[in-house]
Amino acid sequence: MSRYPNAIAAELRERGLRVTAPRHAVLDWLVSHPHATVEQVHQGVSERLGTISKQAVYDVLSACVTADLVRQIKPAGHPARFERRTGDNHHHLVCRGCGRIADTDCHTGDAPCLTPSHDEGFDVDEAEIVFWGLCSECQSRKDSAAEPID
């Protein structure tokens, strides 16, 4: 369980949510497993709580996203991912090889960090940026595969 069980309970209460074992377990598990899929959250929380339905995990994540306790990201071609890092203007790096996702801080700091050439009357408050490429491990594998064998 969490090293800070009262902090998670306080966060839930501050956002108007009841403190339940599933909510606490999901939030605690995500602290050390950022960018997790629903499947991964379900498996990790099940190991802590015993039985919990996947629907319960979906419900907890939905409530926590609405309460800004969890952030959901949806990189194209990948399942939705969830993380506890909210309230800042950070972006993500996604590896095209293995799918690993890493956080990267926004260069400008404040949201939105980009503005459209024409806003069509929108009050833009966020720009979602995803950087795509190969992580260092996938680059190494690619470089190793390209080396000729003597």
Side-chain angles (χ1 to χ4, degrees):
M1 272 307 213
S2 173
R3 297 182 316 179
Y4 308 104
N6 293 331
I8 290 174
E11 284 182 285
L12 287 163
R13 287 187 189 104
E14 286 170 7
R15 302 291 168 62
L17 296 174
R18 287 180 325 140
V19 179
T20 64
R23 286 178 179 161
H24 192 282
V26 166
L27 291 174
D28 184 47
W29 191 84
L30 279 173
V31 168
S32 55
H33 301 90
H35 312 121
T37 65
V38 171
E39 296 289 333
Q40 292 166 328
V41 175
H42 180 248
Q43 182 177 346
V45 171
S46 292
E47 291 171 5
R48 290 183 179 195
L49 293 181
T51 59
I52 182 172
S53 71
K54 194 177 294 181
Q55 184 59 52
V57 171
Y58 274 107
D59 293 345
V60 167
L61 289 169
S62 177
C64 290
V65 166
T66 299
D68 199 31
L69 291 168
V70 170
R71 181 177 178 184
Q72 179 181 10
I73 62 170
K74 298 177 185 176
H78 293 258
R81 305 292 181 117
F82 299 88
E83 65 181 339
R84 286 295 315 271
R85 187 174 173 186
T86 64
D88 67 352
N89 190 36
H90 75 278
H91 307 299
H92 296 94
L93 299 150
V94 180
C95 179
R96 292 184 191 278
C98 66
R100 184 172 82 87
I101 299 175
D103 290 335
T104 184
D105 291 328
C106 178
H107 180 66
T108 63
D110 296 324
C113 56
L114 296 174
T115 54
S117 59
H118 191 290
D119 64 19
E120 299 292 330
F122 281 71
D123 179 16
V124 177
D125 61 8
E126 180 181 8
E128 186 174 302
I129 299 171
V130 176
F131 298 95
W132 295 87
L134 289 177
C135 69
S136 58
E137 290 179 27
C138 288
Q139 288 176 58
S140 294
R141 281 195 291 271
K142 182 180 173 189
D143 292 344
S144 295
E147 291 178 11
I149 301 174
D150 292 331

